[in-house]
Amino acid sequence: MVDKQLLQAFDAELAQENLEGHWVRGLTEEDKVPYTKDPHTFVLPHLWKWEVIHRHLRRAGEMHGLEGMAERRTLRLINPAFQKLDSRRRRSTTHTVHMSVQLLKPGELASSHRHNFGAFRFIVEGRGAYTVVEGEKFVMEPGDLILNPPMTWHGHGNDAEPIIWLDGLDYPLLNSLQVITWEPYPGDFQPVKESFKSAAYRVGMARPVWETAAGPLAYKWEDTYRTLKGLEGGEGSPFDGVALEYVNPVDGGHTFPTMSCGIQMLRGGDATQTHRHNSSTVYHAFRGSGVTVIDGKRYEWEKGDCFVVPLWSWHSHQNRSKNGEAILFSMNDRPMLEALKLYREEPGEMGRL
Ligand code: GTQ
Ligand code: FE2
């Protein structure tokens, strides 16, 4: 029989020397984590209502312009599990990726900079604003996905109507590796170039032979939607409905080495089967409404809402409408897990919801 008090006093002494004993199994609850049969995550499922995000973003828009100290105007989606961490570690929607919602008002310019964390923009509402990535100008329209690869200079401008988009970032992963770098553009806003490399990716079935990594590029909503509709009559994925991954046009792989972006259509009346995987996903309801069941709890979403499905949680999706389609945009960290040969997934029992 171990004398727990004696051991605890011993632990305290060891801590003084920056040492820790590893010998008593299950002395405290804390000791048992992470040595469990299933992965143990601190990431919590959570749903942010669009009405709340939108209202607060508009308030921010009324409170400050982009002159002076303000570089950007975004609301960060903070996972409730990270709310109490210091600011650097708090900025996480899951432990690996981050999503923010950005507002740019007419007449505003968000100055250029670059960083080694990768980013993308998924346009939610408003059209006609633009982002300049490596000197290439991309006009933003709802449903467009625009890639901003690591270390590419980027700034945003708007001479049209108010625009709101989602920013996806692999910041939390790079932050945990402690390798974040960030630089302002010398001269505030990077000018637009004459020739655009991204034109080469527009067709999607042919790639420039001299390129080894994809530069900035845009997947136009028109093309994405046409593909979804073209697959509407088929079976689709049992777990995700008519689901597409945005492919890297140069190597045919995931959207980024660290993150994958997806778009899925749940047809009227669609209800998917349950599964789980050790990648985590952040969703945004782009069209329609539905329910996602996460570990038995119902998360009801409507247009604009964002929600997190943490790793290894059982989940399935249902379109609320019998006739109209629902469309979910999403980002996940599966590429990182695959690169490290850690990716795992499991189907649930048939018909489980
Ligand atoms: O617009 O460049 O949400 O650098 C976070 C970091 C947006 C941006 C974010 C960024 C940006
Ligand atoms: Fe940026």
Side-chain angles (χ1 to χ4, degrees):
M1 192 51 197
V2 248
D3 183 333
K4 285 190 182 179
Q5 260 180 342
L6 215 61
L7 265 179
Q8 272 163 5
F10 185 29
D11 282 346
E13 276 183 59
L14 287 172
Q16 295 283 323
E17 309 292 344
N18 291 305
L19 293 169
E20 185 182 284
H22 171 201
W23 40 68
V24 183
R25 200 185 305 169
L27 185 63
T28 63
E29 279 306 302
E30 205 184 331
D31 280 337
K32 294 179 189 162
V33 177
Y35 299 126
T36 50
K37 184 175 162 289
D38 292 311
H40 186 274
T41 183
F42 299 106
V43 176
L44 295 170
H46 191 72
L47 185 142
W48 292 262
K49 293 304 292 177
W50 183 248
E51 186 276 319
V52 175
I53 296 173
H54 200 258
R55 180 156 42 88
H56 290 95
L57 201 49
R58 278 205 318 262
R59 276 175 67 196
E62 286 156 16
M63 270 184 219
H64 69 87
L66 282 196
E67 61 285 331
M69 296 292 285
E71 270 263 319
R72 296 291 188 265
R73 184 188 297 106
T74 79
L75 283 181
R76 299 184 173 117
L77 305 184
I78 305 291
N79 192 285
F82 302 139
Q83 198 56 261
K84 297 216 162 65
L85 299 179
D86 60 79
S87 66
R88 199 172 146 186
R89 288 183 303 150
R90 185 171 58 236
R91 297 168 191 166
S92 294
T93 313
T94 74
H95 56 313
T96 47
V97 298
H98 179 78
M99 194 180 269
S100 283
V101 191
Q102 182 157 176
L103 166 68
L104 195 65
K105 295 193 294 182
E108 288 183 329
L109 264 190
S111 54
S112 305
H113 63 215
R114 68 177 182 181
H115 32 74
N116 65 350
F117 46 97
F120 65 78
R121 328 275 164 217
F122 181 77
I123 320 310
V124 176
E125 67 176 47
R127 64 179 72 232
Y130 58 89
T131 178
V132 177
V133 189
E134 281 300 297
E136 300 206 21
K137 183 175 179 174
F138 296 92
V139 174
M140 297 163 142
E141 295 177 294
D144 291 356
L145 174 70
I146 303 169
L147 302 193
N148 193 137
M151 294 311 279
T152 52
W153 295 109
H154 55 281
H156 321 304
N158 190 356
D159 33 42
E161 57 192 33
I163 190 162
I164 295 179
W165 69 76
L166 307 176
D167 293 309
L169 314 152
D170 53 14
Y171 168 90
L173 176 80
L174 271 75
N175 185 44
S176 70
L177 298 174
Q178 306 196 5
V179 293
I180 299 282
T181 66
W182 188 98
E183 296 162 73
Y185 184 76
D188 206 42
F189 202 87
Q190 187 187 31
V192 177
K193 290 189 305 202
E194 288 290 307
S195 95
F196 288 0
K197 270 209 271 186
S198 63
Y201 307 131
R202 188 75 168 97
V203 177
M205 304 280 281
R207 67 179 174 88
V209 294
W210 66 93
E211 292 289 328
T212 53
L217 70 121
Y219 306 82
K220 295 301 288 180
W221 174 245
E222 181 195 326
D223 299 333
T224 307
Y225 191 58
R226 195 187 314 117
T227 310
L228 285 173
K229 291 306 262 188
L231 295 170
E232 193 171 27
E235 267 177 56
S237 147
F239 306 111
D240 288 299
V242 182
L244 303 173
E245 181 184 15
Y246 293 89
V247 169
N248 173 318
V250 168
D251 63 14
H254 294 301
T255 326
F256 288 91
T258 49
M259 317 182 261
S260 166
C261 298
I263 190 96
Q264 72 199 77
M265 177 169 67
L266 302 170
R267 294 155 292 193
D270 268 358
T272 69
Q273 288 173 31
T274 299
H275 75 158
R276 66 178 177 183
H277 32 71
N278 60 1
S279 57
S280 304
T281 311
V282 186
Y283 289 93
H284 165 78
F286 184 59
R287 280 190 185 168
S289 62
V291 183
T292 294
V293 181
I294 308 172
D295 278 338
K297 195 171 165 204
R298 291 166 60 85
Y299 291 82
E300 305 201 353
W301 43 263
E302 23 179 30
K303 187 173 155 55
D305 296 353
C306 298
F307 59 97
V308 174
V309 175
L311 65 95
W312 218 237
S313 50
W314 295 108
H315 58 281
S316 63
H317 312 287
Q318 255 174 281
N319 184 348
R320 176 84 65 60
S321 160
K322 285 276 163 279
N323 327 302
E325 67 204 24
I327 296 181
L328 292 170
F329 171 78
S330 62
M331 72 189 292
N332 67 66
D333 57 2
R334 181 172 170 166
M336 320 179 185
L337 290 152
E338 285 184 0
L340 298 173
K341 309 262 187 285
L342 290 171
Y343 183 71
R344 237 175 99 189
E345 68 176 271
E346 245 176 43
E349 290 155 37
M350 283 287 284
R352 178 178 176 153
L353 202 67

